[in-house]
Amino acid sequence: MPIQSILPGVSASGMGLRLSQKFVFLLFLSGLVTLCFGALFFLPDSVRLKRIFLSKTEIQPVTVGSGSENDVREHLKRPKEQGMTSAKGETGTKGKSLSRKPSVSHEATEERLAGGKAQEDLTLSRSKTESASERATSSDRGANSDTFSYQKFRGCLLKAPLGRDNGKPGDPQTNERREKVKEMMKFAWDNYKRYAWGKNELRPLTRNGHIGNMFGERGLRGASIIDSLDTLYIMGLMEEYNDAKEWVQTNLDLNSNGEASLFEVNIRYVGGLLSAYYLTGEELFKNKAMELGEKLLPAFNTPTGIPRGVINLGSGTIWSWGWASAGSSILAEFGTLHLEFVHLTELSNNPVYTEKVMNIRKLLNKIEKPHGLYPNFLSPVSGNWVQHHVSIGGLGDSFYEYLIKSYLMSDKTDDDAKRMYYGALEAIEANLVQKSPGGLTYMAEWRGGILDHKMGHLACFSGGMIGIGADDGAPEKRQHYLDLAAEITHTCHESYTRSATKLGPEAFRFDGGAEATATRLSDRYYILRPEVIESYMYMWRLTHDPKYREWGWEAVEALEQHCRVESGFSGIRDVYTMTVSHDNMQQSFFLSETLKYLYLLFSDDDLLPLEDWVFNTEAHPLPIIPANTDVKGC
């Protein structure tokens, strides 16, 4: 049928022309819309435009925080890319929206290209990152482009970190002893490098490496390297330090998919990397510390915010230790995060780290404490104590240490930490501190009101702890605290002198006629622990009583005689027999703590002066944060 008969008065040619024009116009309009939306969603800087068009529910970031157990189970059904994942009951936080990697300044890039040498005048970027959690609160805080200046940080220190002459003592005998400790460190390091390089620890008898279960079969490696960085640096073992730094740069893999102890990773790896950064200015260490710190955040994803003890660094899966009562978290583990996490906030300008540890404080302040004491087991689900077992040794020890050190690290402005510490110390004195018939002061353990008259080697750190906190207690109790610190340190020294090897046992008792002596075979071993020597070092700094240096030298001689083997140092199974049986393990804390504290004991006080530094529980020095300013403004 002709077109004319359908549309009278309209020619076929005319209508064809108008249809072509409409088609061209629609084609043009379609292309324009496509171009606009393509730019909106695919051009590099399109994030702000997306926020205009997408609904609020579509752009909510994944946040790091607590959630219900039911919410956690829901996350198990989601692909990893869409949110948090877990396989053992609580969520991880491995989404892109949680990336908090710091921006890198032009100067920092040039430094890496130049080989990464420390430069005290280097200004490191501390600009705010584009993580989702920060964007979620940016409207409250406002834009912030603060930067961390390493040069200005060094200007905030009252004294040079390594002293006027690297802490070299003027007394020839003391200097000779210090040099001996340095030789011990080099011997231990050289054998680790020769036989166990890249592994966590050295087995000196069999001359091979040890991985250990603290970091899992597929977990972190190189614990002895990270633990040794600051020790090598302050001792001036620069060739060894540079080898360690190169390993960190090329081989430290933080993307492991194995289980790890939150506590051990924090005090050894995060603490070691932070300390190395603050001492050297090497941006490498700062970046690694912040990257690892972010991987620890999923541990806090519990209903209370109390972290669980074990984390898979790859998936963010978390769980409690199998031996922990009723799936509880351990006081010494979740209470030994504050120092490192506050410094992670300082360097990253991300408050999430400080918020996590302050949340722990809030819960502890809220719940009832039996007789003012802090039991060792706490449920991360209910927020209640699981058992009423209190110990200043294992399971509890470093929680108390971090209270007084948090106060000192804050330049004595953290009044909450101060109140908690002295309140706990008052309860400890009232309930745990005992005097033996022979006149030895010790700290018993408390089990639901019943005293166990046992003191562990780990509890011997408390002499130094009470000593460094003596000046800030009530004025009328300052001398009392210093005397108490000296008495406890003396008792721990007695546990050494009363053994055949002059090394102390893992635990010693004050019952059945025994005093400062292990009465059980299972307590007679010594694994190169530092706590007694740690108290010697602090008490020397506080009193300059020469006996503390003499006691330290006794420990050096005992270590040389009984623990030094052909290819390193080893713990021993029985301190009460001269027929030594070695345990074939050179612990990483031997390099980080035992030898460092001995070196400091025989050095002048201006080597890592206590006016500027606090030591984390793995003996990694962290700087005091000046009051009423931050280090970028000094």
Side-chain angles (χ1 to χ4, degrees), residues 36 39-41 43 45-54:
C36 290
L40 192 64
F41 284 91
L43 287 179
D45 195 27
S46 62
V47 175
R48 290 185 295 275
L49 293 174
K50 287 183 183 181
R51 290 175 178 169
I52 297 172
F53 292 93
L54 295 180

Side-chain angles (χ1 to χ4, degrees), residues 1-22:
M1 182 181 295
I3 293 178
Q4 290 96 322
S5 65
I6 300 174
L7 296 173
V10 179
S11 67
S13 60
M15 182 157 184
L17 179 62
R18 285 195 295 271
L19 288 173
S20 298
Q21 289 173 335
K22 288 179 180 180

Side-chain angles (χ1 to χ4, degrees), residues 213-278:
N213 58 10
M214 289 182 298
F215 311 109
E217 292 184 2
R218 298 179 303 278
L220 293 174
R221 297 290 182 266
S224 289
I225 297 175
I226 307 299
D227 255 351
S228 297
L229 282 165
D230 50 15
T231 308
L232 295 169
Y233 187 80
I234 68 170
M235 288 185 180
L237 295 169
M238 297 310 296
E239 180 179 344
E240 292 78 4
Y241 161 78
N242 285 324
D243 288 342
K245 182 183 74 173
E246 182 180 359
W247 185 90
V248 173
Q249 189 166 25
T250 58
N251 294 104
L252 178 58
D253 180 13
L254 301 182
N255 296 312
S256 62
N257 199 39
E259 66 184 59
S261 162
L262 168 69
F263 168 76
E264 299 289 354
V265 171
N266 180 63
I267 66 171
R268 300 191 195 212
Y269 284 83
V270 177
L273 291 165
L274 287 173
S275 176
Y277 169 67
Y278 282 120

Side-chain angles (χ1 to χ4, degrees), residues 409-424:
M409 195 181 78
S410 72
D411 208 6
K412 301 184 178 182
T413 62
D414 188 348
D415 291 331
D416 187 45
K418 179 180 180 181
R419 179 189 56 77
M420 292 176 70
Y421 170 73
Y422 288 105

